[in-house]
């Protein structure tokens, strides 16, 4: 008796992954083993970079706050320390947004903590 192989399911699995690798360069889009490896590695990068994204944004916010604080005559560390002493609880995301989009409001915060 011949060996039974579920070709429908295995073909569907290959089609699904090849569809996900559409747009990749060279053999990465149409050669099964290369496409599968590329797709798996892409999942690893996606997992890693969901965490790195948070670090990157925090660093960006700190740079923006530092630049705006220095325009108003304080360094970042002095400003954050004074903010804590004054009891003002605004997170870095909001402070960075104020620094970029509403410099007058940011200046008012700096004046309040000085």
């Amino acid at each position: 008796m011949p060996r039974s192989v579920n070709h429908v399911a295995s073909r569907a699995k290959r089609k699904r992954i090849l569809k996900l690798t559409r747009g990749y360069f060279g053999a990465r889009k149409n050669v099964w083993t290369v496409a599968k490896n590329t797709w798996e590695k892409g999942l690893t990068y996606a997992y890693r970079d969901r965490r790195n994204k948070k670090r990157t944004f925090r660093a960006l916010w700190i740079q923006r706050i530092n630049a705006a604080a220095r325009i108003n005559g304080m360094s970042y560390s002095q400003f954050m320390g004074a903010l804590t002493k004054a009891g003002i609880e605004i997170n870095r995301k909001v402070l960075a947004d104020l620094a970029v989009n509403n410099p007058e409001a940011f200046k008012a915060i700096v004046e309040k903590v000085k």
Side-chain angles (χ1 to χ4, degrees), residues 49-62:
D49 290 336
R50 277 194 298 275
R51 279 129 195 90
N52 285 357
K53 185 178 172 183
K54 295 162 185 61
R55 298 176 209 164
T56 310
F57 269 99
R58 186 181 168 96
L60 176 67
W61 298 332
I62 289 170

Side-chain angles (χ1 to χ4, degrees), residues 26-88:
R28 289 166 169 248
K29 67 177 166 278
N30 54 13
V31 175
W32 165 243
T33 50
V34 180
K36 183 170 67 74
N37 292 340
T38 304
W39 172 73
E40 285 173 349
K41 193 160 190 179
L43 291 178
T44 308
Y45 286 144
Y47 178 84
R48 180 198 70 188
D49 290 336
R50 277 194 298 275
R51 279 129 195 90
N52 285 357
K53 185 178 172 183
K54 295 162 185 61
R55 298 176 209 164
T56 310
F57 269 99
R58 186 181 168 96
L60 176 67
W61 298 332
I62 289 170
Q63 288 168 6
R64 287 177 174 176
I65 295 165
N66 188 22
R70 285 182 187 277
I71 289 170
N72 292 296
M74 289 180 97
S75 72
Y76 170 78
S77 61
Q78 290 169 341
F79 174 66
M80 293 308 281
L83 209 62
T84 308
K85 279 182 189 166
I88 300 171

